[in-house]
Amino acid sequence: MGQTLTEKILDDHLVEGDLQTGEEIGIEIDQVLTQDTTGTMVWLQFEAMGLDEVQTEIAAQYCDHQTYQFDFKNTDDHRFLRSAAGTYGAHFSRPGNGICHNVHRENFAAPGKTLLGSDSHTPTPGGLGELAIGAGGIDVTVAMGGAPYYIEMPEVVNVRLEGELPDWATAKDVILELLRRLTVKGGVGKILEYTGPGVETLTAPERMTITNMGTELGATSSIFPTDEQTEDYLERVGRGGEYVPLQPDDDAEYDDEIVVDLSDLEPLIAEPSMPDKVVPVSEVAGTDVDQVIVGSCTNGAYEDVLPAAKMLEGREVNKKTEMIVAPGSKQASELLARQGWVAEMMAAGVNFSEATCGACIGIGHVPASDSVSVRTFNRNFEGRSGIEDDNVYLCSPEVAAAAALKGEIVDPRDLSDELGDLEAPGFELAEEYDASKADLITPDEAVDDELVKGPNIGEVPLRDGIDEDIAGEVLLKMDDNITTDHIIPATQDILMYRSNIDKLSEFTLSRVDETFADRAAEADGGVLLAGENYGQGSSREHAAMCPMHLGVEAVLAQSFARIHRANLFNFGIVPLVIDEDAYDGIDQGDEVEIVEDVESGVSEGRSEFTVTVNGDEEYTATLDASQRERDILAAGGKLSWTKAQAEEGG
Ligand code: SF4
């Protein structure tokens, strides 16, 4: 039987296990990336593990999420990250150089390689045929030290693209259509592999918009085959020599197939406040728009901004709307500036921003209360923009520019008459990506050779084993689809403590219940209760680290998002799956006990545990985990486990 492209790359990197769906496999990692919100802990863990040099082909540290240096805390973090990259042999991308996924694809991503990143949108370079997976920071630390990355072999789903995009329909609409059909849980446990005649009609940057947002489906990764489009892109970024032709075998068998006819697509938009609330733009046309932002790792490339710039040329942003353009990388900004497009956009009334994640996580450009913001981003979870009563819509740059011109949501096809000769701008690659690399410091150019820790750099929290019995209060009962933004918000006032877990923990779950951290500290721990898809969203390991620091011992949920589930193991919190009856039967404030030798049960492979509620009712909770995951959990987390292994190994 032939192999899928995913299987071919995994096979090339396989160090343990068989490529059977659901089996744990260990793979060699060629490249790692980390960013500033997750990177400080990555390097502190690297130091705590006693590692002394990066072992992967490429390791890259980006500063993108929090680039504004409001006070010493962010600057302390950036200085520490530069010193860690220099000391241990990683590339360092200075604040303002761009978003990790954009800078990585421009400089390092390569077909056939594996990439592990401590950011959930790491799969972006799947559009170049790289198998890229998002993970918790400590998994990245371990991979960077040269150890394999372990993962359950996902299902491989064939997303067959037919036809060709019509005018005004874009790559963003391809992934929005998949979100409309599959929802934010539709890709869980899956790698989406794109095939079919529609593939060759999409350029590499368009493919990367699609693979970037596969994360919103919950997919482990998304990948395209390589072809002339891939080679063309690599040549333009000056890395033509890294092209490798990669295709699945003709007789490859997939676990499932989804067909998308590109010719049927039209401009789509995700309504507030979930990326899968997708409708045709025409359905919400007429909604007044206060703010428009073009940018982010999904649509912040030169090629993404250019169509919006063309639509704005010679026109004016509506007086009642503010428009911000924040390219994904300084390279994109520089190219747009050299070609005069920045001036055109500014003349149209655009507020041009530095290359940063910024507004995507509520840092800068926070919308007004209860206003409408139309963005080209990938996520619109409630409150992520920095204000709780936000109304964030997600769409293509073309739809965003149309909204900015009209001052209300409008299908750009209906704007033509009003604005005269408004033609579909189409998708155009840069002639060549000849931009400065001044903000990328290679290991050879490193300016530090020892760690620099300012006062904002704290300690790595450690849990030493798990308790024999779990007994405590249900500290919080939560609904479905709780995001890592709910658990640890990423807004400026909170994010600046990412290197200081003691302080950061005070904000744990504050968006769900402001009293949570105090109650957890007072109760000296307890358990959390949640519905489906607990922990969806970012790879933020602080969302497990802070509950651990507050003494949370277990999370009972109907299901877990992949990266967060791994993070719970990595920080010694027992992730137990319960059914709907149990979820309905247990309430906040109930006392729960799991008293059947939890520690030995975890270590010895028991999958079912009895949860006694208020000394009376009993429910079954399931621990579905590999032996390696059980060992990590029993040790109290990955750091304790890795240290113990190192000691055993002498
Ligand atoms: Fe940055 Fe937003 Fe992309 Fe995350 S999703 S990497 S915060 S732009």
Side-chain angles (χ1 to χ4, degrees):
M1 190 178 79
Q3 287 186 306
T4 65
L5 174 54
T6 303
E7 287 167 335
K8 287 184 181 188
I9 299 177
L10 287 174
D11 221 3
D12 271 356
H13 292 82
L14 196 66
V15 291
E16 216 175 308
D18 293 320
L19 298 182
Q20 302 291 330
T21 307
E23 292 227 347
E24 189 175 75
I25 54 171
I27 56 170
E28 191 185 341
I29 296 298
D30 301 319
Q31 304 186 346
V32 299
L33 72 77
T34 182
Q35 34 90 338
D36 49 342
T37 64
T38 53
T40 49
M41 281 297 147
V42 165
W43 293 112
L44 288 170
Q45 287 163 160
F46 200 85
E47 181 193 27
M49 285 178 193
L51 299 167
D52 53 16
E53 196 177 10
V54 163
Q55 298 296 318
T56 47
E57 290 171 16
I58 298 286
Q61 171 64 56
Y62 300 95
C63 292
D64 52 0
H65 280 58
Q66 175 44 296
T67 59
Y68 306 125
Q69 295 163 333
F70 292 106
D71 67 13
F72 74 93
K73 297 186 197 70
N74 293 319
T75 331
D76 266 11
D77 283 353
H78 297 155
R79 191 174 55 167
F80 169 70
L81 293 171
R82 192 188 74 182
S83 74
T87 305
Y88 296 123
H91 296 261
F92 180 70
S93 178
R94 292 198 288 208
N97 191 38
I99 303 171
C100 53
H101 312 300
N102 298 63
V103 182
H104 199 84
R105 78 196 217 182
E106 288 160 1
N107 291 283
F108 304 115
K113 298 288 184 187
T114 53
L115 165 67
L116 194 72
S118 61
D119 188 279
S120 59
H121 291 94
T122 299
T124 307
L128 288 176
E130 177 162 83
L131 189 65
I133 300 175
I138 199 162
D139 285 323
V140 170
T141 309
V142 170
M144 201 153 60
Y149 173 61
Y150 290 89
I151 188 172
E152 256 185 31
M153 177 67 196
E155 288 181 22
V156 184
V157 176
N158 180 7
V159 185
R160 191 176 161 76
L161 302 180
E162 315 262 3
E164 196 166 347
L165 288 169
D167 276 356
W168 296 108
T170 67
K172 186 65 163 276
D173 300 307
V174 178
I175 191 68
L176 287 175
E177 168 66 9
L178 284 169
L179 276 154
R180 188 185 69 75
R181 289 197 211 171
L182 305 177
T183 81
V184 290
K185 290 184 289 184
V188 173
K190 296 169 184 170
I191 291 182
L192 305 183
E193 191 172 312
Y194 289 82
T195 70
V199 166
E200 66 182 30
T201 69
L202 298 171
T203 63
E206 288 173 292
R207 296 174 188 181
M208 286 189 271
T209 290
I210 296 170
T211 46
N212 170 280
M213 231 175 135
T215 297
E216 275 49 62
L217 292 160
T220 303
S221 191
S222 303
I223 191 163
F224 275 80
T226 64
D227 55 15
E228 284 170 13
Q229 297 276 17
T230 326
E231 190 170 16
D232 180 43
Y233 178 81
L234 286 170
E235 272 169 9
R236 288 173 198 248
V237 292
R239 297 191 292 119
E242 294 176 37
Y243 175 69
V244 181
L246 292 171
Q247 293 285 333
D249 289 328
D250 290 341
D251 56 346
E253 283 190 14
Y254 292 87
D255 293 295
D256 201 358
E257 182 176 273
I258 301 164
V259 178
V260 178
D261 189 339
L262 302 177
S263 346
D264 289 343
L265 294 181
E266 60 175 321
L268 298 172
I269 194 163
E271 293 183 276
S273 295
M274 210 39 87
D276 59 5
K277 288 184 69 182
V278 175
V279 295
V281 172
S282 50
E283 251 182 50
V284 286
T287 307
D288 277 341
V289 174
D290 302 87
Q291 183 192 57
V292 169
I293 311 185
V294 172
S296 87
C297 60
T298 312
N299 279 126
Y302 165 88
E303 295 82 0
D304 297 309
V305 178
L306 189 59
K310 287 179 180 172
M311 288 171 68
L312 291 164
E313 187 180 12
R315 301 191 171 91
E316 262 190 35
V317 170
N318 194 286
K319 298 290 183 211
K320 64 184 177 190
T321 305
E322 184 197 5
M323 183 174 187
I324 298 121
V325 172
S329 68
K330 195 177 264 185
Q331 173 174 282
S333 300
E334 191 180 326
L335 289 176
L336 290 162
R338 287 187 190 283
Q339 295 172 0
W341 289 111
V342 173
E344 290 297 342
M345 287 189 279
M346 285 178 161
V350 162
N351 178 1
F352 198 80
S353 159
E354 74 176 71
T356 176
C357 295
C360 183
I361 41 171
I363 299 176
H365 304 299
V366 175
S369 306
D370 197 22
S371 64
V372 168
S373 179
V374 171
R375 301 174 167 203
T376 64
F377 299 178
N378 48 37
R379 288 184 172 152
N380 58 350
F381 302 143
E382 192 176 56
R384 183 177 169 93
S385 68
I387 187 158
E388 286 300 325
D389 57 349
D390 58 11
N391 299 286
V392 176
Y393 291 78
L394 307 173
C395 62
S396 67
E398 286 84 339
V399 172
L405 290 168
K406 175 104 174 168
E408 58 188 52
I409 295 176
V410 58
D411 185 326
R413 294 172 298 184
D414 297 334
L415 199 59
S416 304
D417 292 347
E418 246 169 276
L419 293 178
D421 58 345
L422 183 65
E423 287 175 11
F427 204 82
E428 194 184 322
L429 292 170
E431 289 273 312
E432 56 176 333
Y433 296 77
D434 187 15
S436 154
K437 303 270 190 239
D439 281 324
L440 197 60
I441 304 175
T442 66
D444 291 343
E445 298 164 329
V447 287
D448 309 272
D449 56 9
E450 61 180 38
L451 298 181
V452 181
K453 292 183 183 174
N456 197 43
I457 308 296
E459 297 289 321
V460 179
L462 258 185
R463 173 170 275 180
D464 192 14
I466 55 172
D467 288 345
E468 200 48 54
D469 300 328
I470 293 177
E473 184 187 333
V474 177
L475 294 164
L476 200 57
K477 181 170 182 173
M478 295 168 275
D479 295 334
D480 292 347
N481 295 324
I482 289 293
T483 70
T484 49
D485 280 340
H486 286 112
I487 307 172
I488 289 292
T491 48
Q492 155 60 22
D493 50 335
I494 298 175
L495 201 60
M496 61 188 174
Y497 296 114
R498 64 195 161 228
S499 318
N500 182 342
I501 299 305
D502 202 33
K503 180 69 184 166
L504 188 67
S505 297
E506 293 175 14
F507 301 96
T508 308
L509 284 160
S510 56
R511 284 193 43 214
V512 185
D513 173 4
E514 280 187 0
T515 67
F516 176 79
D518 287 344
R519 292 192 296 106
E522 206 169 297
D524 196 19
V527 305
L528 297 173
L529 179 65
E532 301 276 5
N533 201 22
Y534 179 69
Q536 69 158 330
S538 79
S539 70
R540 204 169 303 155
E541 64 186 353
H542 300 84
M545 211 183 270
C546 292
M548 175 191 91
H549 186 68
L550 292 172
V552 170
E553 292 185 88
V555 180
L556 307 174
Q558 286 177 264
S559 63
F560 293 90
R562 179 185 66 86
I563 302 178
H564 188 63
R565 175 185 173 277
N567 283 335
L568 291 173
F569 281 99
N570 287 343
F571 290 93
I573 297 176
V574 188
L576 291 165
V577 176
I578 52 169
D579 62 16
E580 203 176 339
D581 277 352
Y583 177 78
D584 291 340
I586 307 175
D587 285 317
Q588 187 167 320
D590 285 350
E591 289 291 327
V592 299
E593 287 179 295
I594 309 167
V595 289
E596 309 148 90
D597 301 339
V598 174
E599 188 193 7
S600 43
V602 165
S603 311
E604 288 161 13
R606 178 140 35 95
S607 58
E608 290 195 349
F609 293 83
T610 302
V611 182
T612 309
V613 181
N614 297 328
D616 180 12
E617 282 160 281
E618 291 190 346
Y619 298 97
T620 300
T622 308
L623 179 69
D624 183 11
S626 70
Q627 190 56 48
R628 198 187 51 81
E629 289 173 321
R630 289 169 180 277
D631 292 344
I632 290 170
L633 193 55
K638 200 159 196 174
L639 188 51
S640 304
W641 179 74
T642 309
K643 281 182 150 186
Q645 283 217 316
E647 278 163 23
E648 271 172 32

